[in-house]
Amino acid sequence: MTGNAEIALACASLLADELARGGVEDVCVSPGARSTPLALAVARHPRLRVHVILDERSAAFFGLGIAKATRRAVALVCTSGTAAVNWHPAIVEARYSQTPLIALSADRPPELHDTGANQTIDQRGLFASAPLWFFEMPVPAIEDDSERVWRSVAARAVAVAAGPPAGPVHLNLPFREPLAPSAEIPDLGSGREGGAPWERHSPAALAADAHPIEDLARLIEAARDGLIVCGGLEDDAPSILDLAERIAWPLVAEPQSGLRRDGALSAPQLILDRIDPSVVLSVGAPPTSRATRALLGRAGRVVTVDPSRWNDPDRRSSWTLRADAALLADALIATIKPREDRAWIERWRAADAAARDAADTLMDSWDEPFEGRVARDVARAVPAGGLLAIGSSLPVRDLDTFMAPREDVWVIGNRGASGIDGFVSTVLGIAQTGEPTVGLMGDLTFLHDAGSLAWLASRAKPAVLVVEDNGGGAIFDLLPQGSIREADDLFVTPHELSIEAIARAAGCRTRRVTRAADVAEAVAEAVAAGETTVVHVECARTAGPPRRAEIAAAVAHVTK
Ligand SMILES: Cc1ncc(C[n+]2csc(CCOP(=O)(O)OP(=O)(O)O)c2C)c(N)n1
Ligand SMILES: [Mg+2]
C-alpha cells in the first residue's frame, strides 16, 4: 500500500532528478533515519554519485572541496538534529568563497516540533545569513501540483547556488513516518522533455557597460606608474595578463588567482614595500598579505573590480566596478593602445627577478626544512594539470611569497572565511576530480580535521597531504601575540602528537622528510604511489623567524 514512506521517496526522487538535470553530480550523504527518503532517492538515481561520510562536518567540507574544484554544485544530505548543525562551517566558507552547495536537511514534521520529540530542533534558518536561499519544503503528499512544487524548488536551488554570485542554499525537508518504503513507489511525473531542467535560468550578463570602461581606460592611460593586484578568482582570467602587458603595469597575482604565471611578478611580496603606485586596479578577492594591503593604502587611487562583492576591507577603494574580471580585461584591451614607455614595468621586473634570485639562493643553502621553501618546492612538485590545496595560516602566506610562476597548476584554498577547520576533508574532496592533488597545511590544521582522515582515507580517491610540523601555530610567533607571556599555552599550543602515528592509524602511507632538499622528491613519489600519503615535514619552530629576517635582509640588499 502507498504510505508516507513511498510518497516521501517519490517526492524526494523528483528533487534528486531535478538536481541531476541541473548539473549536480556528487552528493555527500551522512547516515541517519529521518533522511531515508533523500538518501534512497539520490542513491537510486543513475547519474548521481553518492559519497557516504559519517561526520557531517567532514561531509560538508568534502563536498565543498568537490564544488571548488569542479565549479559544479554539490548536494549534502543528513538527518535531523545536531547532524545538520555540523555543516555550518563549510556552509559559511561556501558563502564567502562563492562555492555552490545545496544542503538538504531532513526534519521531523511540524506536529512533532516543540513537543520534546526525539532529535528534533528548530532547523529553520539554521545557518542564519550564510545561505543565499532558505526554503522549508512541505511534508511530501500526492497533490496535483506535487511534481511542479518539488521540481521547481530543486531547479531553483541549483540556479541560486550556481549564481552569480554562487553560494550555498539550504532546503529543510520534513518527513513523516514510516520512512522505509516497502511497496511500489508512485510515479509523480517525468519532468520536462529531453531531460531538460524544470526551469531554465538565465543570469544577467556581467560585462560592464561601455561608459565606465571608457572612463577606466582613460584613467589607466594617464597613469604610467600603476599596478594590477589580483586576489583569488573563481574562473580562469588569462586576459588580465595580456592587459598588464599592454598597459605596462606590473601584475601582482596571488597564487589563487591562477595568474601567477610568466608575465606576472615572480616574488612580488618581497618588493612590494618599495612600490608607490598612483593607481591600483584590485581584482578578485581582497589580498591575503599585509604587504599588499599596505600597498593599497599607499596607492593614490584604488579601483576595485568584482561582479558582486564589496572587496575593500580597508576602505581604500574610490570606485567599485561591477564586472567579470576577464570580460573587463578584454574590453580594456580593445580600447587601450599598447603603452610605449615601459620603464616602470621593466624597473619592477628587474627588482622582482633580483629578489627572487636572492631569496632562492639563500633558501637553497639551508639544509633543514623552512616553511617558505617547503611552499615553493611543493608548488613546483605538483604534476602538470594537478591541483594544489593550500591551508590557511603560514602555508597560504608562504605560497604567496615564494611560489614561482607556473600556469599548469590550479591553487585552491579555504579563503572565504580563512578557517583552519575541515581542511583534510576539503583536500580529499578536491582530489575527487581524479587529477593529482596535493594539500599543504600546518600541523594544527591537520590535527583539527584528523578524524576525517580515518573515514576518508580508505574511501576517497587519493591525495597527498603535506604537513609542515613546526610544533603548533607558528604564525603566532610572527604576530604580536607571540611576545605575550602566555603565548605558548594560549596561542601556539605546541603538542606531542605524532602526525605519522595518526596518519598510520587512519590507514595512510606516511613519509617523513627531515632535509629541505627532499621535499619535492617526496611529493612526487607520493603522487606516483596513488595512495593517500601524509608527507610529514619536520620544521624547527625556532628557525622560522630568524630565517624570514635573513631573507628580508638579503632582498633589501640586492634591490636597493
Ligand atoms: C577554525 C579556526 N580556528 C582557529 C583559527 C585561528 N588560527 C589561525 S592560524 C592558527 C594556527 C594554525 O597552526 P598550523 O596549522 O600549525 O599552521 P602554522 O601557523 O604553524 O603555519 C589558528 C589557530 C582559524 N583560522 N580557524
Ligand atoms: Mg604549525
Side-chain angles (χ1 to χ4, degrees):
M1 200 193 81
T2 304
N4 287 339
E6 290 74 25
I7 295 169
L9 180 50
C11 291
S13 300
L14 297 174
L15 174 83
D17 186 47
E18 208 55 48
L19 294 180
R21 288 175 185 228
V24 173
E25 292 185 8
D26 293 275
V27 187
C28 300
V29 176
S30 299
R34 191 59 52 166
S35 44
T36 302
L38 293 169
L40 290 178
V42 296
R44 290 180 183 178
H45 195 284
R47 290 202 313 280
L48 293 173
R49 217 171 3 250
V50 170
H51 311 268
V52 179
I53 300 172
L54 174 63
D55 171 351
E56 291 80 7
R57 189 172 68 143
S58 176
F61 274 108
F62 186 82
L64 180 88
I66 298 176
K68 284 193 176 197
T70 61
R71 303 304 302 157
R72 272 196 308 270
V74 171
L76 312 173
V77 168
C78 80
T79 190
S80 65
T82 54
V85 189
N86 282 283
W87 284 342
H88 204 153
I91 287 178
V92 168
E93 172 59 28
R95 172 58 185 263
Y96 291 95
S97 59
Q98 303 195 332
T99 307
L101 274 188
I102 300 171
L104 308 171
S105 55
D107 199 352
R108 264 48 182 179
E111 66 273 15
L112 288 182
H113 278 267
D114 213 8
T115 62
N118 186 46
Q119 217 178 311
T120 307
I121 67 167
D122 186 357
Q123 297 181 183
R124 293 165 302 175
L126 186 60
F127 308 112
S129 62
L132 297 172
W133 185 45
F134 167 75
F135 190 74
E136 173 92 1
M137 289 301 284
V139 177
I142 298 185
E143 311 277 2
D144 288 347
D145 64 357
S146 293
E147 178 176 33
R148 283 204 312 282
V149 169
W150 284 79
R151 286 192 184 272
S152 72
V153 167
R156 181 157 156 198
V158 177
V160 175
V169 164
H170 176 204
L171 305 185
N172 193 48
L173 300 113
F175 295 112
R176 202 166 274 140
E177 290 186 8
L179 297 158
S182 55
E184 204 175 321
I185 310 303
D187 182 354
L188 298 182
S190 46
R192 300 283 185 215
E193 277 181 11
W198 190 256
E199 191 184 6
R200 194 172 143 187
H201 184 245
S202 305
L206 288 176
D209 71 33
H211 284 298
I213 290 192
E214 273 299 316
D215 290 352
L216 184 56
R218 301 295 87 81
L219 178 75
I220 290 171
E221 278 167 350
R224 214 189 91 261
D225 53 351
L227 203 69
I228 301 178
V229 168
C230 200
L233 284 177
E234 281 74 36
D235 299 308
D236 199 25
S239 53
I240 293 177
L241 283 156
D242 301 333
L243 174 69
E245 194 61 43
R246 193 173 185 90
I247 64 179
W249 285 9
L251 174 60
V252 174
E254 278 189 21
Q256 293 106 295
S257 68
L259 298 175
R260 177 73 65 89
R261 309 183 190 175
D262 284 343
L265 295 182
S266 153
Q269 293 303 320
L270 298 174
I271 57 164
L272 273 191
D273 58 347
R274 271 154 268 178
I275 314 183
D276 281 305
S278 64
V279 181
V280 170
L281 198 59
S282 172
V283 183
T288 304
S289 85
R290 278 163 206 264
T292 316
R293 284 175 57 185
L295 175 95
L296 295 187
R298 288 197 307 279
R301 180 151 196 209
V302 177
V303 180
T304 310
V305 178
D306 194 85
S308 60
R309 283 172 285 199
W310 295 94
N311 286 337
D312 184 26
D314 296 310
R315 300 186 185 276
R316 301 293 186 180
S317 183
S318 63
W319 185 3
T320 292
L321 219 139
R322 294 270 166 248
D324 173 83
L327 294 180
L328 178 77
D330 287 339
L332 288 170
I333 288 167
T335 314
I336 302 178
K337 284 200 294 294
R339 193 188 302 275
E340 281 171 17
D341 177 1
R342 306 195 53 90
W344 167 257
I345 192 168
E346 293 310 336
R347 173 178 160 208
W348 291 114
R349 281 187 172 161
D352 173 62
R356 156 69 61 192
D357 201 41
D360 280 351
T361 306
L362 189 57
M363 289 195 295
D364 288 340
S365 73
W366 295 329
D367 204 37
E368 281 177 18
F370 157 66
E371 293 92 336
R373 178 171 171 190
V374 173
R376 183 197 68 179
D377 292 355
V378 168
R380 195 182 277 166
V382 177
L387 294 131
L388 173 58
I390 189 72
S392 292
S393 205
L394 292 181
V396 71
R397 292 177 172 80
D398 283 335
L399 194 75
D400 192 13
T401 308
F402 298 109
M403 177 180 163
R406 258 197 91 167
E407 64 178 281
D408 51 0
V409 59
W410 186 17
V411 180
I412 302 178
N414 278 345
R415 296 302 296 169
S418 299
I420 60 166
D421 47 344
F423 192 66
V424 171
S425 309
T426 306
V427 178
L428 286 159
I430 291 169
Q432 303 320 294
T433 54
E435 302 298 339
T437 299
V438 179
L440 175 63
M441 71 206 82
D443 49 320
L444 294 190
T445 301
F446 174 80
L447 292 171
H448 207 297
D449 199 26
S452 302
L453 197 60
W455 188 265
L456 289 171
S458 58
R459 290 177 166 80
K461 288 184 189 159
V464 177
L465 306 172
V466 182
V467 182
E468 289 177 350
D469 189 1
N470 50 20
I475 195 169
F476 295 112
D477 286 329
L478 304 174
L479 298 177
Q481 284 77 358
S483 4
I484 300 175
R485 184 155 41 87
E486 297 91 338
D488 268 22
D489 288 347
L490 293 180
F491 303 107
V492 181
T493 57
H495 55 86
E496 299 298 321
L497 295 163
S498 163
I499 304 285
E500 281 163 78
I502 292 170
R504 277 196 299 271
C508 295
R509 285 175 87 243
T510 59
R511 167 90 189 255
R512 178 188 302 199
V513 174
T514 54
R515 290 182 48 235
D518 295 340
V519 169
E521 182 274 321
V523 170
E525 183 264 337
V527 170
E531 271 177 69
T532 291
T533 304
V534 173
V535 178
H536 176 213
V537 185
E538 288 184 5
C539 300
R541 175 181 157 197
T542 48
R547 284 184 169 168
R548 290 174 195 278
E550 268 189 73
I551 291 171
V555 167
H557 179 69
V558 291
T559 60
K560 230 190 302 228

